[in-house]
Amino acid sequence: MGIGAVAAMRYVKDGIKAAKLVMDHTEHTLLVGEKATSFAISMGLAGPADLSSPESIEKWTIWRQNHCQPNFWKNVVPAGSCGPYHPIDVPSGESKASAKHVLEWTQGDICQGLFEPNNLLEPVNPHLKSINRHNHDTISMAVIDKMGHVAVGTSTNGATFKIPGRVGDGPIPGSSAYADDEVGACGATGDGDIMMRFLPCYQVVESMRRGMEPRDAALDAILRIARKYPDFVGAVFAINKKGVHAGACHGWTFQYSVRNSSMQDVEVITVAH
């Protein structure tokens, strides 16, 4: 049950190395923010460094020119700009018209189209807030060594255009990764803001502990999320201590890769929704 994690850590490239330093050299589970950066640099990792690339700067510039759309804000004004934002209470049905008037007065025509039946102050465009395969970059990996020890790790930059300070499922124990030598391991990727509410990898490992095969355990975890959030995008892989593996996904076609000592090359497994 050894664990280490960092979150919201800026200016240090090797987040996964910093997480292992937390595991190996502290009694803590999770370090965050600027103090996580200071810890990583003090332990020998390179930094502070500018982690921007020409591609990321170009993407950010285009986003700013598009009035910071899409983004992850909701129930705020002004909804169609780069802020600063202010909260607006979701009104009751009888005051819906007045709320619409307030928003239109604040933003002019920018709010037209945001109001749909039963969808007050929620974006019409479902991609405005969602995390999908085009805007995040999670990598999760599990390893079983020759002694039977199981390890798993996850690294991610998070969601593109996230609100500063946002922490996703990557560093949350049991959400994007979980492992137990007695059972096996799980890794996850997708809409971490949704998935972390369910701790899917903890569930997968515990399901395997109770006798479920990896495929059934992975599918059960995904379906539990889908019942509550039918539009979410995500996937998990599961591997038991014998090396039997499987994956399950929702909202996309997911691929994971496998290699063991008897294989000449990596095998890529495709899992269809």
Side-chain angles (χ1 to χ4, degrees), residues 68 71-76 79 85-86 121 123 128-129 163-164:
C68 301
N71 61 49
F72 290 88
W73 292 93
K74 67 177 184 179
N75 300 334
V76 296
Y85 302 102
H86 306 284
L121 303 179
L128 195 62
K129 299 183 300 170
I163 297 171

Side-chain angles (χ1 to χ4, degrees), residues 13 29 51-52 71 112-114 134 147 186 206 249:
K13 182 178 181 179
T29 292
L51 304 183
S52 298
N71 61 49
Q112 296 298 325
L114 283 178
H134 299 294
M147 302 299 294
C186 166
E206 293 307 303
C249 62

Side-chain angles (χ1 to χ4, degrees), residues 214-234:
R215 180 182 181 278
D216 296 331
L219 184 60
D220 179 57
I222 288 294
L223 290 178
R224 289 194 188 202
I225 304 173
R227 282 195 290 269
K228 297 287 187 179
Y229 295 93
D231 296 325
F232 102 97
V233 173

Side-chain angles (χ1 to χ4, degrees), residues 173-222:
S175 188
S176 73
Y178 198 70
D180 189 326
D181 283 0
E182 298 176 356
V183 183
C186 166
T189 185
D191 188 343
D193 288 302
I194 298 299
M195 298 178 76
M196 67 194 295
R197 304 172 192 186
F198 296 82
L199 297 180
C201 277
Y202 175 79
Q203 183 193 320
V204 166
V205 172
E206 293 307 303
S207 293
M208 292 193 295
R209 190 191 307 277
R210 295 194 303 269
M212 274 193 186
E213 291 297 315
R215 180 182 181 278
D216 296 331
L219 184 60
D220 179 57
I222 288 294

Side-chain angles (χ1 to χ4, degrees), residues 20-228:
K20 191 170 188 301
L21 289 169
V22 173
M23 181 176 69
D24 290 343
H25 299 289
T26 83
E27 298 290 343
H28 299 314
T29 292
L30 173 63
L31 299 181
V32 302
E34 63 178 277
K35 296 304 182 182
T37 299
S38 298
F39 166 83
I41 294 172
S42 73
M43 296 298 289
L45 296 185
D50 181 0
L51 304 183
S52 298
S53 67
E55 293 79 10
S56 68
I57 293 173
E58 180 183 15
K59 182 182 292 186
W60 180 83
T61 301
I62 293 172
W63 178 72
R64 292 281 297 183
Q65 292 170 349
N66 193 43
H67 307 292
C68 301
Q69 305 296 318
N71 61 49
F72 290 88
W73 292 93
K74 67 177 184 179
N75 300 334
V76 296
V77 291
S81 79
C82 292
Y85 302 102
H86 306 284
I88 180 168
D89 294 334
V90 178
S92 59
E94 57 267 24
S95 60
K96 180 176 179 179
S98 62
K100 182 178 179 180
H101 173 73
V102 169
L103 282 176
E104 288 179 340
W105 177 79
T106 304
Q107 302 171 235
D109 294 332
I110 225 158
C111 284
Q112 296 298 325
L114 283 178
F115 290 89
E116 297 293 332
N118 302 317
N119 202 32
L120 181 61
L121 303 179
E122 292 294 325
V124 175
N125 180 358
H127 298 293
L128 195 62
K129 299 183 300 170
S130 65
I131 296 175
N132 57 63
R133 65 188 180 91
H134 299 294
N135 66 2
H136 81 298
D137 61 353
T138 304
I139 297 174
S140 189
M141 180 180 294
V143 178
I144 304 174
D145 71 13
K146 62 182 180 181
M147 302 299 294
H149 298 305
V150 183
V152 64
T154 298
S155 183
T156 178
N157 276 332
T160 304
F161 310 134
K162 60 183 176 285
I163 297 171
R166 179 259 189 187
V167 173
D169 62 331
I172 306 303
S175 188
S176 73
Y178 198 70
D180 189 326
D181 283 0
E182 298 176 356
V183 183
C186 166
T189 185
D191 188 343
D193 288 302
I194 298 299
M195 298 178 76
M196 67 194 295
R197 304 172 192 186
F198 296 82
L199 297 180
C201 277
Y202 175 79
Q203 183 193 320
V204 166
V205 172
E206 293 307 303
S207 293
M208 292 193 295
R209 190 191 307 277
R210 295 194 303 269
M212 274 193 186
E213 291 297 315
R215 180 182 181 278
D216 296 331
L219 184 60
D220 179 57
I222 288 294
L223 290 178
R224 289 194 188 202
I225 304 173
R227 282 195 290 269
K228 297 287 187 179

Side-chain angles (χ1 to χ4, degrees), residues 185-188 204 208 213-222 234-240 244-250 252-258 269-273:
C186 166
V204 166
M208 292 193 295
E213 291 297 315
R215 180 182 181 278
D216 296 331
L219 184 60
D220 179 57
I222 288 294
V236 300
F237 70 81
I239 183 168
N240 65 20
V244 178
H245 57 84
C249 62
H250 184 82
W252 61 353
T253 297
F254 170 68
Q255 291 183 318
Y256 69 96
S257 57
V258 181
I269 310 294
T270 300
V271 181
H273 168 49

